[in-house]
């Protein structure tokens, strides 16, 4: 019981910047609910397209993934040169992957060592536990989406790492995410499928 109370308190503290009135409160309540569901979920799985922008170099990968608090398993499906490679990550590390003579090595995107292989767990970490600076409901070509901005509260806006997520309010699952470093987008994740395991009762 004490653990559940502490969990709710942690969620509330990380949402303090999302307040407001009317629709703003609705976005905050939805963000709080979605975060609680992801914190309770034992695992997630899906399919993602990940674009990594190094400035002069841009890499694009397609992959399936399964995620749990202990491990993320990625299976690359595109481009053809790396299709079939599988990585097991216990964090955001993993700048190189090699199997059967094929090598995927792109290097880190920020000082914390973020790489394209670590993009999905980094996005989920931000969703589950990052400081949420902004929560809004917005309309775009994909319809009505919940837009979340997570960042380091000790940094000025536009400085350090910032993670933006767009979540379908109906399914309550991510459809898109972006990670920026010092105002420059380094990662774009587009999810073509996403599922979240319900906690066992």
């Amino acid at each position: 019981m004490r653990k559940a109370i502490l969990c709710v308190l942690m969620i509330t503290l990380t949402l303090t910047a999302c307040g407001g009135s009317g629709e703003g409160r609705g976005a905050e309540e939805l963000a709080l609910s979605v975060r609680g569901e992801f914190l309770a979920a034992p695992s997630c799985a899906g399919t993602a397209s990940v674009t990594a922008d190094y400035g002069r170099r841009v890499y694009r990968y397609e992959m399936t993934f399964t995620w749990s608090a202990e491990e993320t398993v990625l299976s690359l499906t595109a481009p053809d040169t790396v299709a079939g490679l599988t990585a097991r990550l216990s964090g955001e590390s993993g700048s190189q992957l090699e199997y059967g003579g094929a090598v995927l090595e792109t290097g880190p995107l920020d000082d914390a060592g973020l790489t394209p292989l670590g993009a999905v767990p980094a996005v989920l970490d931000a969703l589950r536990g990052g400081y949420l600076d902004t929560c809004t409901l917005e309309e775009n070509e994909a319809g009505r989406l919940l837009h979340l901005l997570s960042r380091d509260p000790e940094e000025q806006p536009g400085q350090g790492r910032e993670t933006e997520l767009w979540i379908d309010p109906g399914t309550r699952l991510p459809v898109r995410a972006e990670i920026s470093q010092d105002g420059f987008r380094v990662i774009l994740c587009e999810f073509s499928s996403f599922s979240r395991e319900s906690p066992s009762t």
Side-chain angles (χ1 to χ4, degrees), residues 1 3 12 14 17 23 27 33-34 36 42 48 56-57 108 110 129 132 160 164 169 175 177 179 190 201:
M1 181 67 174
K3 184 177 180 181
T12 303
T14 56
E23 188 168 299
S33 178
V34 169
R56 295 185 178 182
R57 298 172 294 149
D110 64 10
L132 294 180
E164 294 183 79
V175 296
I179 301 176
E190 297 174 291
T201 55

Side-chain angles (χ1 to χ4, degrees), residues 16-149:
T16 54
C18 293
S21 59
E23 188 168 299
R25 279 200 300 269
E28 178 183 347
E29 290 170 2
L30 179 57
L32 179 67
S33 178
V34 169
R35 171 165 282 187
E37 291 168 5
F38 272 89
L39 280 168
S43 65
C44 302
T47 305
S49 170
V50 175
T51 303
D53 191 341
Y54 288 82
R56 295 185 178 182
R57 298 172 294 149
V58 177
Y59 300 95
R60 187 173 184 274
Y61 307 99
E62 294 179 10
M63 63 185 70
T64 60
F65 66 88
T66 57
W67 171 94
S68 70
E70 294 78 29
E71 182 181 60
T72 301
V73 179
L74 308 169
S75 296
L76 301 178
T77 57
D80 291 341
T81 53
V82 295
L85 292 171
T86 298
R88 294 180 179 273
L89 310 176
S90 58
E92 293 177 15
S93 61
S95 61
Q96 177 172 315
L97 177 65
E98 182 172 1
Y99 179 78
V103 177
L104 171 60
E105 181 178 16
T106 56
L109 286 151
D110 64 10
D111 293 338
L114 175 68
T115 70
L117 293 179
V120 170
V123 166
L124 289 170
D125 284 348
L127 175 58
R128 297 174 77 248
Y131 176 83
L132 294 180
D133 180 78
T134 308
C135 313
T136 58
L137 286 164
E138 61 181 39
E139 297 280 350
N140 61 27
E141 63 278 2
R144 190 171 178 82
L145 296 174
L146 173 66
H147 180 204
L148 307 178
L149 170 61

Side-chain angles (χ1 to χ4, degrees), residues 11 25 27 33 36-37 79 84 98 108 129 166 170 174 176 186 197-198:
I11 295 171
R25 279 200 300 269
S33 178
E37 291 168 5
E98 182 172 1
W166 287 264
R176 177 187 173 99
V186 294
E197 182 185 359
S198 298

